[in-house]
């Protein structure tokens, strides 16, 4: 049975963690304007994506000192189970992904990706196994360095749980590293607040259904940095 002292300690820890996540939001809010001021229009989107990844990782490491994970994540290279779902991201990430594709993909890889993206409009998300993210190739993320922030935040302690949820069977709750998830959410919140304050589009968009339009806009990163709204309609966004 929990004692009054242990309950008090748990309550104090919860309050401390809540304050810590709020601090993460504020740190990101302050960091984003500096980043935008120091980078060129063509580099801003990619720089933002990379800095958000770094801030999320650094914050999670510090918080995990207070709340260590109950066990190691089951995630490993070559496991693309959690990629069988719809991904919501923002336009800055889309612009960074589009630039990464232009700079690193072969023409054949681009053609294959466009074919996968063309299938997204009619995609049905209620039938398992869920379709794979268009970025997934051979169970590896083809845009891993600039992947959406939500993909970094998601972890699982049990690969079997992921298989049941995403690939078939009755589905159920996936347990993972709560610190990484909450840290990701805090970084995303701070970034969205800062971008909105700067007059930049921070609207949630569907990765699979919105990327094709961004890929067809060679100056997407520059236009986003100038304040353009590149995805006025966001089909499929929750």
């Amino acid at each position: 049975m929990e004692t009054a002292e242990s309950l008090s300690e748990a309550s104090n820890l919860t309050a401390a963690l809540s304050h810590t996540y709020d601090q993460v939001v504020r740190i990101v809010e302050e960091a984003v304007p500096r980043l935008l001021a120091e980078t060129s229009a063509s580099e801003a989107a990619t720089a933002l994506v990379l800095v958000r990844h770094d801030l999320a990782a650094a914050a999670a490491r510090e918080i995990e000192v207070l709340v260590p994970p109950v066990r190691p994540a089951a995630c490993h290279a070559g496991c693309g189970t959690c990629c069988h779902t719809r991904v919501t991201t923002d336009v800055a990430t889309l612009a960074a992904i589009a630039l990464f594709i232009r700079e690193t993909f072969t023409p054949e890889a681009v053609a294959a990706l466009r074919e996968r993206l063309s299938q997204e409009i009619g995609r049905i998300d209620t039938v398992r196994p869920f379709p794979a993210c268009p970025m997934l190739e051979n169970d590896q993320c083809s845009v891993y360095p600039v992947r959406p922030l939500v993909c970094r935040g998601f972890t699982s302690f049990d690969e079997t749980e992921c298989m049941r949820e995403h690939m078939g069977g009755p589905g159920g709750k996936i347990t993972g590293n709560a610190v990484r998830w909450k840290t990701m959410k805090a970084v995303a919140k701070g970034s969205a607040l800062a971008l909105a304050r700067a007059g930049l589009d921070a609207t949630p968009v569907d990765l699979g259904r919105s990327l094709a339009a961004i890929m067809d806009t060679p100056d997407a990163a520059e236009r986003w940095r100038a304040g353009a709204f590149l995805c006025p309609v966001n089909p499929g966004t929750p």
Side-chain angles (χ1 to χ4, degrees), residues 42-90:
S42 61
E43 298 172 340
T46 298
L48 176 64
V49 169
L50 297 178
V51 164
R52 289 190 305 205
H53 280 286
D54 290 344
L55 289 173
R61 283 194 300 269
E62 290 194 19
I63 297 173
E64 285 176 348
V65 174
L66 295 173
V67 188
V70 294
R71 59 184 184 273
C75 309
H76 59 85
C79 177
T81 307
C82 69
C83 302
H84 288 256
T85 189
R86 188 168 293 287
V87 176
T88 300
T89 185
D90 61 6

mmCIF file of all heavy atoms in Angstrom, residues 42-90:
data_model
loop_
_atom_site.group_PDB
_atom_site.id
_atom_site.type_symbol
_atom_site.label_atom_id
_atom_site.label_comp_id
_atom_site.label_asym_id
_atom_site.label_seq_id
_atom_site.Cartn_x
_atom_site.Cartn_y
_atom_site.Cartn_z
ATOM 1 N N SER A 42 16.068 29.511 -47.897
ATOM 2 C CA SER A 42 16.087 28.168 -48.475
ATOM 3 C C SER A 42 16.475 27.106 -47.450
ATOM 4 O O SER A 42 16.150 25.930 -47.613
ATOM 5 C CB SER A 42 17.058 28.116 -49.656
ATOM 6 O OG SER A 42 18.384 28.417 -49.237
ATOM 7 N N GLU A 43 17.177 27.515 -46.382
ATOM 8 C CA GLU A 43 17.662 26.564 -45.385
ATOM 9 C C GLU A 43 16.805 26.521 -44.125
ATOM 10 O O GLU A 43 16.973 25.630 -43.290
ATOM 11 C CB GLU A 43 19.092 26.924 -44.982
ATOM 12 C CG GLU A 43 20.098 26.856 -46.128
ATOM 13 C CD GLU A 43 21.459 27.400 -45.731
ATOM 14 O OE1 GLU A 43 21.524 28.163 -44.740
ATOM 15 O OE2 GLU A 43 22.440 27.057 -46.394
ATOM 16 N N ALA A 44 15.872 27.475 -43.990
ATOM 17 C CA ALA A 44 15.159 27.633 -42.718
ATOM 18 C C ALA A 44 14.340 26.406 -42.347
ATOM 19 O O ALA A 44 14.361 25.961 -41.187
ATOM 20 C CB ALA A 44 14.255 28.869 -42.786
ATOM 21 N N ALA A 45 13.615 25.845 -43.299
ATOM 22 C CA ALA A 45 12.748 24.707 -42.977
ATOM 23 C C ALA A 45 13.568 23.506 -42.503
ATOM 24 O O ALA A 45 13.252 22.887 -41.478
ATOM 25 C CB ALA A 45 11.893 24.333 -44.183
ATOM 26 N N THR A 46 14.614 23.181 -43.244
ATOM 27 C CA THR A 46 15.451 22.046 -42.858
ATOM 28 C C THR A 46 16.132 22.305 -41.519
ATOM 29 O O THR A 46 16.188 21.418 -40.659
ATOM 30 C CB THR A 46 16.502 21.763 -43.934
ATOM 31 O OG1 THR A 46 15.844 21.413 -45.162
ATOM 32 C CG2 THR A 46 17.415 20.624 -43.521
ATOM 33 N N ALA A 47 16.645 23.521 -41.320
ATOM 34 C CA ALA A 47 17.294 23.853 -40.057
ATOM 35 C C ALA A 47 16.315 23.722 -38.894
ATOM 36 O O ALA A 47 16.669 23.218 -37.815
ATOM 37 C CB ALA A 47 17.859 25.274 -40.116
ATOM 38 N N LEU A 48 15.076 24.151 -39.106
ATOM 39 C CA LEU A 48 14.061 24.043 -38.060
ATOM 40 C C LEU A 48 13.798 22.585 -37.703
ATOM 41 O O LEU A 48 13.740 22.217 -36.518
ATOM 42 C CB LEU A 48 12.763 24.707 -38.524
ATOM 43 C CG LEU A 48 11.571 24.590 -37.572
ATOM 44 C CD1 LEU A 48 11.849 25.317 -36.265
ATOM 45 C CD2 LEU A 48 10.301 25.121 -38.232
ATOM 46 N N VAL A 49 13.650 21.742 -38.711
ATOM 47 C CA VAL A 49 13.390 20.321 -38.463
ATOM 48 C C VAL A 49 14.532 19.702 -37.663
ATOM 49 O O VAL A 49 14.308 18.975 -36.686
ATOM 50 C CB VAL A 49 13.193 19.572 -39.799
ATOM 51 C CG1 VAL A 49 13.192 18.057 -39.580
ATOM 52 C CG2 VAL A 49 11.893 20.016 -40.457
ATOM 53 N N LEU A 50 15.758 19.983 -38.055
ATOM 54 C CA LEU A 50 16.918 19.392 -37.378
ATOM 55 C C LEU A 50 17.063 19.897 -35.951
ATOM 56 O O LEU A 50 17.374 19.125 -35.031
ATOM 57 C CB LEU A 50 18.187 19.679 -38.180
ATOM 58 C CG LEU A 50 18.236 19.070 -39.589
ATOM 59 C CD1 LEU A 50 19.523 19.468 -40.295
ATOM 60 C CD2 LEU A 50 18.096 17.550 -39.535
ATOM 61 N N VAL A 51 16.831 21.184 -35.741
ATOM 62 C CA VAL A 51 16.949 21.749 -34.395
ATOM 63 C C VAL A 51 15.863 21.188 -33.481
ATOM 64 O O VAL A 51 16.117 20.893 -32.307
ATOM 65 C CB VAL A 51 16.886 23.286 -34.447
ATOM 66 C CG1 VAL A 51 16.606 23.871 -33.063
ATOM 67 C CG2 VAL A 51 18.202 23.842 -34.980
ATOM 68 N N ARG A 52 14.668 21.023 -34.013
ATOM 69 C CA ARG A 52 13.605 20.439 -33.184
ATOM 70 C C ARG A 52 13.968 19.021 -32.762
ATOM 71 O O ARG A 52 13.723 18.618 -31.614
ATOM 72 C CB ARG A 52 12.276 20.450 -33.945
ATOM 73 C CG ARG A 52 11.691 21.849 -34.098
ATOM 74 C CD ARG A 52 10.285 21.857 -34.635
ATOM 75 N NE ARG A 52 10.115 21.155 -35.896
ATOM 76 C CZ ARG A 52 9.139 21.430 -36.764
ATOM 77 N NH1 ARG A 52 8.250 22.373 -36.490
ATOM 78 N NH2 ARG A 52 9.033 20.756 -37.888
ATOM 79 N N HIS A 53 14.541 18.244 -33.675
ATOM 80 C CA HIS A 53 14.984 16.902 -33.327
ATOM 81 C C HIS A 53 16.032 16.959 -32.211
ATOM 82 O O HIS A 53 15.967 16.190 -31.243
ATOM 83 C CB HIS A 53 15.589 16.209 -34.546
ATOM 84 C CG HIS A 53 14.582 15.636 -35.489
ATOM 85 N ND1 HIS A 53 13.865 14.502 -35.209
ATOM 86 C CD2 HIS A 53 14.169 16.032 -36.718
ATOM 87 C CE1 HIS A 53 13.057 14.220 -36.214
ATOM 88 N NE2 HIS A 53 13.218 15.144 -37.148
ATOM 89 N N ASP A 54 16.996 17.860 -32.359
ATOM 90 C CA ASP A 54 18.067 17.969 -31.360
ATOM 91 C C ASP A 54 17.521 18.394 -30.000
ATOM 92 O O ASP A 54 17.927 17.846 -28.961
ATOM 93 C CB ASP A 54 19.126 18.973 -31.832
ATOM 94 C CG ASP A 54 19.944 18.455 -33.008
ATOM 95 O OD1 ASP A 54 19.905 17.236 -33.271
ATOM 96 O OD2 ASP A 54 20.611 19.280 -33.670
ATOM 97 N N LEU A 55 16.618 19.375 -29.999
ATOM 98 C CA LEU A 55 16.053 19.849 -28.735
ATOM 99 C C LEU A 55 15.226 18.757 -28.063
ATOM 100 O O LEU A 55 15.288 18.586 -26.834
ATOM 101 C CB LEU A 55 15.190 21.090 -28.980
ATOM 102 C CG LEU A 55 15.933 22.366 -29.343
ATOM 103 C CD1 LEU A 55 14.954 23.472 -29.737
ATOM 104 C CD2 LEU A 55 16.804 22.834 -28.188
ATOM 105 N N ALA A 56 14.457 18.017 -28.845
ATOM 106 C CA ALA A 56 13.644 16.939 -28.277
ATOM 107 C C ALA A 56 14.536 15.862 -27.666
ATOM 108 O O ALA A 56 14.257 15.348 -26.576
ATOM 109 C CB ALA A 56 12.734 16.343 -29.344
ATOM 110 N N ALA A 57 15.611 15.509 -28.365
ATOM 111 C CA ALA A 57 16.513 14.477 -27.859
ATOM 112 C C ALA A 57 17.214 14.933 -26.587
ATOM 113 O O ALA A 57 17.322 14.171 -25.608
ATOM 114 C CB ALA A 57 17.545 14.121 -28.929
ATOM 115 N N ALA A 58 17.706 16.178 -26.582
ATOM 116 C CA ALA A 58 18.421 16.696 -25.415
ATOM 117 C C ALA A 58 17.494 16.797 -24.203
ATOM 118 O O ALA A 58 17.868 16.421 -23.082
ATOM 119 C CB ALA A 58 19.025 18.059 -25.740
ATOM 120 N N ALA A 59 16.286 17.301 -24.418
ATOM 121 C CA ALA A 59 15.342 17.444 -23.306
ATOM 122 C C ALA A 59 14.947 16.075 -22.752
ATOM 123 O O ALA A 59 14.867 15.885 -21.529
ATOM 124 C CB ALA A 59 14.102 18.205 -23.769
ATOM 125 N N ALA A 60 14.711 15.121 -23.652
ATOM 126 C CA ALA A 60 14.325 13.780 -23.189
ATOM 127 C C ALA A 60 15.430 13.151 -22.348
ATOM 128 O O ALA A 60 15.155 12.506 -21.324
ATOM 129 C CB ALA A 60 13.992 12.897 -24.386
ATOM 130 N N ARG A 61 16.683 13.334 -22.757
ATOM 131 C CA ARG A 61 17.801 12.765 -21.984
ATOM 132 C C ARG A 61 17.834 13.332 -20.570
ATOM 133 O O ARG A 61 18.062 12.612 -19.595
ATOM 134 C CB ARG A 61 19.131 13.035 -22.699
ATOM 135 C CG ARG A 61 19.399 12.133 -23.885
ATOM 136 C CD ARG A 61 20.849 12.212 -24.313
ATOM 137 N NE ARG A 61 21.246 13.559 -24.707
ATOM 138 C CZ ARG A 61 21.164 14.024 -25.954
ATOM 139 N NH1 ARG A 61 20.701 13.253 -26.920
ATOM 140 N NH2 ARG A 61 21.553 15.250 -26.236
ATOM 141 N N GLU A 62 17.606 14.639 -20.451
ATOM 142 C CA GLU A 62 17.643 15.265 -19.130
ATOM 143 C C GLU A 62 16.477 14.799 -18.261
ATOM 144 O O GLU A 62 16.645 14.515 -17.068
ATOM 145 C CB GLU A 62 17.621 16.787 -19.279
ATOM 146 C CG GLU A 62 18.907 17.361 -19.867
ATOM 147 C CD GLU A 62 18.995 18.865 -19.690
ATOM 148 O OE1 GLU A 62 18.266 19.401 -18.832
ATOM 149 O OE2 GLU A 62 19.790 19.500 -20.397
ATOM 150 N N ILE A 63 15.285 14.715 -18.850
ATOM 151 C CA ILE A 63 14.116 14.320 -18.076
ATOM 152 C C ILE A 63 14.204 12.855 -17.676
ATOM 153 O O ILE A 63 13.742 12.457 -16.596
ATOM 154 C CB ILE A 63 12.828 14.601 -18.878
ATOM 155 C CG1 ILE A 63 12.699 16.111 -19.141
ATOM 156 C CG2 ILE A 63 11.600 14.105 -18.116
ATOM 157 C CD1 ILE A 63 11.558 16.484 -20.055
ATOM 158 N N GLU A 64 14.817 12.039 -18.528
ATOM 159 C CA GLU A 64 14.940 10.612 -18.201
ATOM 160 C C GLU A 64 15.858 10.363 -17.017
ATOM 161 O O GLU A 64 15.857 9.265 -16.450
ATOM 162 C CB GLU A 64 15.417 9.833 -19.429
ATOM 163 C CG GLU A 64 14.319 9.638 -20.465
ATOM 164 C CD GLU A 64 14.806 8.950 -21.721
ATOM 165 O OE1 GLU A 64 16.043 8.822 -21.897
ATOM 166 O OE2 GLU A 64 13.961 8.546 -22.528
ATOM 167 N N VAL A 65 16.642 11.352 -16.624
ATOM 168 C CA VAL A 65 17.418 11.231 -15.390
ATOM 169 C C VAL A 65 16.466 11.164 -14.193
ATOM 170 O O VAL A 65 16.688 10.425 -13.238
ATOM 171 C CB VAL A 65 18.394 12.420 -15.243
ATOM 172 C CG1 VAL A 65 19.086 12.376 -13.888
ATOM 173 C CG2 VAL A 65 19.423 12.399 -16.366
ATOM 174 N N LEU A 66 15.370 11.942 -14.264
ATOM 175 C CA LEU A 66 14.361 11.927 -13.212
ATOM 176 C C LEU A 66 13.428 10.726 -13.337
ATOM 177 O O LEU A 66 13.033 10.130 -12.339
ATOM 178 C CB LEU A 66 13.523 13.214 -13.267
ATOM 179 C CG LEU A 66 14.232 14.535 -12.971
ATOM 180 C CD1 LEU A 66 13.286 15.698 -13.238
ATOM 181 C CD2 LEU A 66 14.719 14.555 -11.534
ATOM 182 N N VAL A 67 13.078 10.398 -14.579
ATOM 183 C CA VAL A 67 12.125 9.314 -14.827
ATOM 184 C C VAL A 67 12.725 8.360 -15.859
ATOM 185 O O VAL A 67 12.443 8.464 -17.053
ATOM 186 C CB VAL A 67 10.776 9.858 -15.331
ATOM 187 C CG1 VAL A 67 9.744 8.734 -15.401
ATOM 188 C CG2 VAL A 67 10.274 10.969 -14.456
ATOM 189 N N PRO A 68 13.552 7.429 -15.432
ATOM 190 C CA PRO A 68 14.144 6.482 -16.383
ATOM 191 C C PRO A 68 13.061 5.621 -17.016
ATOM 192 O O PRO A 68 12.042 5.321 -16.391
ATOM 193 C CB PRO A 68 15.076 5.633 -15.503
ATOM 194 C CG PRO A 68 15.261 6.415 -14.250
ATOM 195 C CD PRO A 68 14.008 7.197 -14.055
ATOM 196 N N PRO A 69 13.246 5.224 -18.279
ATOM 197 C CA PRO A 69 12.275 4.328 -18.904
ATOM 198 C C PRO A 69 12.189 3.008 -18.148
ATOM 199 O O PRO A 69 13.186 2.533 -17.605
ATOM 200 C CB PRO A 69 12.829 4.114 -20.322
ATOM 201 C CG PRO A 69 14.137 4.796 -20.379
ATOM 202 C CD PRO A 69 14.353 5.578 -19.146
ATOM 203 N N VAL A 70 10.990 2.449 -18.091
ATOM 204 C CA VAL A 70 10.804 1.214 -17.330
ATOM 205 C C VAL A 70 11.557 0.055 -17.967
ATOM 206 O O VAL A 70 11.934 -0.901 -17.280
ATOM 207 C CB VAL A 70 9.300 0.861 -17.218
ATOM 208 C CG1 VAL A 70 8.580 1.911 -16.386
ATOM 209 C CG2 VAL A 70 8.653 0.729 -18.592
ATOM 210 N N ARG A 71 11.770 0.126 -19.275
ATOM 211 C CA ARG A 71 12.582 -0.863 -19.969
ATOM 212 C C ARG A 71 12.994 -0.294 -21.319
ATOM 213 O O ARG A 71 12.417 0.694 -21.777
ATOM 214 C CB ARG A 71 11.848 -2.193 -20.131
ATOM 215 C CG ARG A 71 10.541 -2.154 -20.885
ATOM 216 C CD ARG A 71 9.925 -3.561 -20.860
ATOM 217 N NE ARG A 71 8.713 -3.656 -21.648
ATOM 218 C CZ ARG A 71 7.492 -3.383 -21.191
ATOM 219 N NH1 ARG A 71 7.346 -2.967 -19.942
ATOM 220 N NH2 ARG A 71 6.426 -3.530 -21.963
ATOM 221 N N PRO A 72 13.968 -0.882 -21.980
ATOM 222 C CA PRO A 72 14.418 -0.348 -23.265
ATOM 223 C C PRO A 72 13.334 -0.456 -24.329
ATOM 224 O O PRO A 72 12.480 -1.341 -24.289
ATOM 225 C CB PRO A 72 15.620 -1.236 -23.623
ATOM 226 C CG PRO A 72 16.033 -1.873 -22.338
ATOM 227 C CD PRO A 72 14.783 -2.019 -21.523
ATOM 228 N N ALA A 73 13.384 0.464 -25.277
ATOM 229 C CA ALA A 73 12.451 0.406 -26.400
ATOM 230 C C ALA A 73 12.773 -0.810 -27.266
ATOM 231 O O ALA A 73 13.932 -1.222 -27.389
ATOM 232 C CB ALA A 73 12.542 1.681 -27.223
ATOM 233 N N ALA A 74 11.725 -1.362 -27.861
ATOM 234 C CA ALA A 74 11.907 -2.507 -28.758
ATOM 235 C C ALA A 74 12.231 -2.055 -30.180
ATOM 236 O O ALA A 74 12.492 -2.891 -31.044
ATOM 237 C CB ALA A 74 10.647 -3.370 -28.765
ATOM 238 N N CYS A 75 12.221 -0.762 -30.405
ATOM 239 C CA CYS A 75 12.452 -0.214 -31.748
ATOM 240 C C CYS A 75 13.871 -0.534 -32.227
ATOM 241 O O CYS A 75 14.824 -0.475 -31.448
ATOM 242 C CB CYS A 75 12.263 1.295 -31.734
ATOM 243 S SG CYS A 75 10.695 1.814 -30.990
ATOM 244 N N HIS A 76 13.990 -0.872 -33.497
ATOM 245 C CA HIS A 76 15.304 -1.169 -34.062
ATOM 246 C C HIS A 76 15.267 -0.945 -35.566
ATOM 247 O O HIS A 76 14.190 -0.922 -36.184
ATOM 248 C CB HIS A 76 15.705 -2.617 -33.756
ATOM 249 C CG HIS A 76 14.740 -3.634 -34.288
ATOM 250 N ND1 HIS A 76 14.799 -4.118 -35.573
ATOM 251 C CD2 HIS A 76 13.667 -4.244 -33.701
ATOM 252 C CE1 HIS A 76 13.822 -4.989 -35.766
ATOM 253 N NE2 HIS A 76 13.116 -5.094 -34.642
ATOM 254 N N ALA A 77 16.428 -0.756 -36.146
ATOM 255 C CA ALA A 77 16.521 -0.560 -37.597
ATOM 256 C C ALA A 77 15.926 -1.767 -38.305
ATOM 257 O O ALA A 77 16.199 -2.914 -37.936
ATOM 258 C CB ALA A 77 17.982 -0.374 -38.004
ATOM 259 N N GLY A 78 15.104 -1.479 -39.305
ATOM 260 C CA GLY A 78 14.482 -2.565 -40.051
ATOM 261 C C GLY A 78 13.093 -2.923 -39.568
ATOM 262 O O GLY A 78 12.407 -3.731 -40.190
ATOM 263 N N CYS A 79 12.649 -2.325 -38.470
ATOM 264 C CA CYS A 79 11.278 -2.530 -37.999
ATOM 265 C C CYS A 79 10.456 -1.323 -38.431
ATOM 266 O O CYS A 79 10.629 -0.229 -37.902
ATOM 267 C CB CYS A 79 11.223 -2.683 -36.483
ATOM 268 S SG CYS A 79 9.521 -2.859 -35.856
ATOM 269 N N GLY A 80 9.585 -1.523 -39.384
ATOM 270 C CA GLY A 80 8.757 -0.424 -39.879
ATOM 271 C C GLY A 80 7.299 -0.580 -39.505
ATOM 272 O O GLY A 80 6.423 0.015 -40.143
ATOM 273 N N THR A 81 7.027 -1.343 -38.456
ATOM 274 C CA THR A 81 5.635 -1.633 -38.092
ATOM 275 C C THR A 81 4.858 -0.371 -37.768
ATOM 276 O O THR A 81 3.735 -0.179 -38.229
ATOM 277 C CB THR A 81 5.585 -2.603 -36.895
ATOM 278 O OG1 THR A 81 6.365 -3.755 -37.188
ATOM 279 C CG2 THR A 81 4.154 -3.021 -36.607
ATOM 280 N N CYS A 82 5.447 0.521 -36.971
ATOM 281 C CA CYS A 82 4.723 1.730 -36.576
ATOM 282 C C CYS A 82 4.552 2.700 -37.745
ATOM 283 O O CYS A 82 3.800 3.676 -37.641
ATOM 284 C CB CYS A 82 5.423 2.427 -35.418
ATOM 285 S SG CYS A 82 7.013 3.164 -35.821
ATOM 286 N N CYS A 83 5.228 2.443 -38.845
ATOM 287 C CA CYS A 83 5.101 3.292 -40.035
ATOM 288 C C CYS A 83 3.864 2.936 -40.849
ATOM 289 O O CYS A 83 3.599 3.552 -41.876
ATOM 290 C CB CYS A 83 6.344 3.171 -40.916
ATOM 291 S SG CYS A 83 7.879 3.603 -40.067
ATOM 292 N N HIS A 84 3.120 1.946 -40.379
ATOM 293 C CA HIS A 84 1.857 1.594 -41.031
ATOM 294 C C HIS A 84 0.733 2.371 -40.352
ATOM 295 O O HIS A 84 -0.107 1.819 -39.641
ATOM 296 C CB HIS A 84 1.623 0.084 -40.960
ATOM 297 C CG HIS A 84 2.530 -0.695 -41.856
ATOM 298 N ND1 HIS A 84 2.120 -1.238 -43.045
ATOM 299 C CD2 HIS A 84 3.851 -0.981 -41.754
ATOM 300 C CE1 HIS A 84 3.140 -1.856 -43.634
ATOM 301 N NE2 HIS A 84 4.195 -1.709 -42.859
ATOM 302 N N THR A 85 0.726 3.655 -40.581
ATOM 303 C CA THR A 85 -0.267 4.542 -39.983
ATOM 304 C C THR A 85 -0.223 5.862 -40.730
ATOM 305 O O THR A 85 0.695 6.118 -41.520
ATOM 306 C CB THR A 85 0.024 4.760 -38.487
ATOM 307 O OG1 THR A 85 -1.065 5.462 -37.881
ATOM 308 C CG2 THR A 85 1.290 5.573 -38.272
ATOM 309 N N ARG A 86 -1.208 6.696 -40.493
ATOM 310 C CA ARG A 86 -1.202 8.016 -41.107
ATOM 311 C C ARG A 86 -0.402 8.973 -40.227
ATOM 312 O O ARG A 86 -0.525 8.948 -39.004
ATOM 313 C CB ARG A 86 -2.628 8.526 -41.298
ATOM 314 C CG ARG A 86 -2.692 9.816 -42.110
ATOM 315 C CD ARG A 86 -4.100 10.135 -42.540
ATOM 316 N NE ARG A 86 -4.611 9.168 -43.505
ATOM 317 C CZ ARG A 86 -4.219 9.090 -44.775
ATOM 318 N NH1 ARG A 86 -3.261 9.890 -45.233
ATOM 319 N NH2 ARG A 86 -4.755 8.208 -45.579
ATOM 320 N N VAL A 87 0.403 9.816 -40.858
ATOM 321 C CA VAL A 87 1.295 10.714 -40.128
ATOM 322 C C VAL A 87 0.883 12.163 -40.359
ATOM 323 O O VAL A 87 0.729 12.603 -41.500
ATOM 324 C CB VAL A 87 2.760 10.521 -40.575
ATOM 325 C CG1 VAL A 87 3.669 11.525 -39.872
ATOM 326 C CG2 VAL A 87 3.216 9.099 -40.288
ATOM 327 N N THR A 88 0.697 12.887 -39.273
ATOM 328 C CA THR A 88 0.417 14.319 -39.339
ATOM 329 C C THR A 88 1.686 15.077 -38.988
ATOM 330 O O THR A 88 2.361 14.758 -38.011
ATOM 331 C CB THR A 88 -0.711 14.704 -38.370
ATOM 332 O OG1 THR A 88 -1.903 13.991 -38.722
ATOM 333 C CG2 THR A 88 -0.996 16.195 -38.435
ATOM 334 N N THR A 89 2.009 16.087 -39.802
ATOM 335 C CA THR A 89 3.219 16.869 -39.572
ATOM 336 C C THR A 89 2.911 18.334 -39.874
ATOM 337 O O THR A 89 1.753 18.746 -39.836
ATOM 338 C CB THR A 89 4.376 16.321 -40.439
ATOM 339 O OG1 THR A 89 5.575 17.017 -40.105
ATOM 340 C CG2 THR A 89 4.091 16.443 -41.923
ATOM 341 N N ASP A 90 3.925 19.140 -40.159
ATOM 342 C CA ASP A 90 3.673 20.535 -40.528
ATOM 343 C C ASP A 90 4.349 20.845 -41.859
ATOM 344 O O ASP A 90 5.106 20.046 -42.395
ATOM 345 C CB ASP A 90 4.132 21.498 -39.432
ATOM 346 C CG ASP A 90 5.627 21.419 -39.142
ATOM 347 O OD1 ASP A 90 6.348 20.697 -39.864
ATOM 348 O OD2 ASP A 90 6.085 22.087 -38.197
#
